[in-house]
């Protein structure tokens, strides 16, 4: 399922450390993600999951260590950073759509501005993606006319429109009403099955069991465990993970 055509994982973090002032928020993080691999990151609030995601496309800087995408080191800034950053699609808890643009415009903006696609090509592709995430009938509406679940599916389509090599999801269903969670998770599961490389921060354990190749458990800025979903859910090795699982599975 996963492959390393040139011997390199798609994403590699080596010895990554980050501080916010005195807070050592990422501590000696080593993590590799292969092509086609789906990694679910879980852990208590404040353990550094969002920061980890944000360092992968340099929305946050790091103090030491190295991050590579497809074998290339992430530059600090400039054009090269913009290009590498567009290889990484990101979907946040709050959908972050442009409120005054239509759904179609939200999805075509990046491809036209950054990828320099023609409007015709960008719209054709956008309609395919909106179809794929099940919101093609909403193309001409503005985000406020859509449900939360529909907006989040538009956000996924918008990220996919840039043809990213890897997709990062940071608690994509946490802001949704319960009845809308599954429609978003279903889209993500289909994406995983189609071979997209994904890092997903979520507390949705059903999704982790169904779609993840690997579960990474974080606590206090460290990766405490990294194992298959099967092993993680039935036989976690650390007390921290056992404690965390008992809290989220028993309510
Ligand atoms: N911009 C920031 N400035 C200072 N502290 C921050 C900032 N962002 C996050 N933190 C702190 O870093 C820690 C990890 O945060 P975060 O990565 O958001 O954790 P998680 O996503 O696992 O809940 C928390 O203690 C949080 O308060
Ligand atoms: Mg977070």
């Amino acid at each position: 399922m996963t492959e390393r055509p040139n011997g390199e994982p798609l994403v590699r973090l080596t010895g990554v450390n980050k501080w916010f002032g005195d807070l050592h928020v990422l501590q000696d993080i080593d993590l590799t993600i292969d092509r086609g691999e789906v990694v679910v990151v879980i852990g208590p609030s404040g353990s550094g999951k969002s920061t980890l995601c944000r360092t992968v496309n340099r929305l946050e800087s790091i103090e030491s260590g190295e991050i590579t995408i497809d074998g290339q080191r992430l530059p600090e800034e400039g054009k090269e950073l913009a290009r590498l950053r567009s290889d990484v699609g990101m979907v946040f808890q709050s959908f972050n759509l442009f409120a005054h643009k239509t759904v179609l415009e939200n999805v075509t903006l990046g491809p036209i501005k950054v990828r320099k696609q023609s409007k015709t090509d960008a719209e054709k592709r956008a309609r395919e993606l909106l179809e794929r995430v099940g919101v093609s009938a909403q193309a001409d509406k503005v985000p406020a006319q859509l449900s939360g679940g529909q907006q989040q599916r538009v956000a996924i389509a918008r990220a996919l429109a840039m043809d990213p090599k890897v997709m990062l999801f940071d608690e994509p269903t946490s802001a949704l009403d319960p009845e809308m969670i599954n429609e978003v998770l279903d889209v993500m599961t289909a994406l995983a099955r189609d071979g997209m490389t994904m890092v997903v921060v979520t507390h949705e354990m059903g999704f982790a069991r169904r779609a993840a190749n690997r579960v990474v458990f974080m606590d206090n800025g460290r990766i405490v465990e990294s194992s298959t979903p099967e092993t993680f859910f039935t036989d976690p090795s650390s007390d921290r993970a056992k404690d965390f699982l008992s809290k989220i599975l028993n309510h």
Side-chain angles (χ1 to χ4, degrees):
M1 178 174 259
T2 61
E3 37 181 323
R4 289 184 181 177
N6 45 19
E8 257 306 306
L10 186 55
V11 180
R12 179 196 289 280
L13 285 79
T14 315
V16 168
N17 284 283
K18 176 168 184 67
W19 278 265
F20 284 122
D22 291 339
L23 182 68
H24 196 176
V25 60
L26 295 178
Q27 306 189 28
D28 299 319
I29 300 286
D30 291 318
L31 179 66
T32 60
I33 298 154
D34 285 335
R35 282 175 181 73
E37 195 174 21
V38 177
V39 174
V40 162
V41 179
I42 69 174
S45 178
S47 57
K49 306 178 299 294
S50 293
T51 307
L52 179 75
C53 284
R54 293 166 61 81
T55 61
V56 170
N57 61 357
R58 279 234 193 277
L59 289 172
E60 298 285 357
S61 60
I62 56 175
E63 270 73 49
S64 67
E66 187 179 74
I67 302 173
T68 62
I69 307 227
D70 217 359
Q72 287 183 282
R73 197 182 166 131
L74 277 184
E76 299 288 338
E77 54 193 19
K79 261 209 161 109
E80 195 62 2
L81 175 60
R83 197 181 60 71
L84 277 181
R85 195 177 264 164
S86 67
D87 283 342
V88 181
M90 205 147 170
V91 175
F92 303 90
Q93 181 176 330
S94 50
F95 327 120
N96 293 349
L97 296 173
F98 299 109
H100 301 294
K101 297 197 182 294
T102 66
V103 163
L104 191 69
E105 287 164 349
N106 265 278
V107 181
T108 55
L109 197 68
I112 292 171
K113 290 247 175 301
V114 180
R115 295 280 200 234
K116 308 293 178 206
Q117 285 178 16
S118 72
K119 190 161 177 255
T120 318
D121 287 351
E123 286 188 354
K124 180 164 178 286
R125 171 94 169 117
R127 288 190 193 279
E128 285 166 12
L129 289 167
L130 291 172
E131 180 80 45
R132 186 167 165 195
V133 302
V135 290
S136 54
Q138 323 297 329
D140 299 320
K141 296 184 180 165
V142 293
Q145 294 174 287
L146 274 59
S147 73
Q150 289 173 326
Q151 290 187 53
Q152 193 59 305
R153 286 182 283 146
V154 172
I156 294 172
R158 181 177 60 174
L160 291 173
M162 298 295 280
D163 279 325
K165 291 179 178 170
V166 53
M167 288 276 286
L168 309 181
F169 295 84
D170 190 2
E171 303 207 30
T173 60
S174 301
L176 296 177
D177 291 334
E179 73 271 21
M180 291 167 193
I181 291 176
N182 279 334
E183 66 193 42
V184 171
L185 292 178
D186 287 348
V187 165
M188 292 167 60
T189 304
L191 206 54
R193 298 237 159 94
D194 288 346
M196 177 58 76
T197 308
M198 294 165 58
V199 178
V200 184
V201 179
T202 185
H203 292 170
E204 293 294 333
M205 297 301 123
F207 173 81
R209 282 176 186 274
R210 190 160 72 235
N213 300 107
R214 193 147 50 99
V215 172
V216 164
F217 176 71
M218 285 187 76
D219 190 37
N220 280 325
R222 290 186 184 278
I223 293 180
V224 178
E225 292 197 38
S226 173
S227 52
T228 63
E230 172 69 14
T231 304
F232 182 75
F233 290 116
T234 57
D235 189 22
S237 50
S238 66
D239 288 341
R240 300 301 311 227
K242 281 176 198 161
D243 183 50
F244 179 77
L245 280 174
S246 74
K247 281 181 186 142
I248 59 164
L249 297 176
N250 293 336
H251 74 83

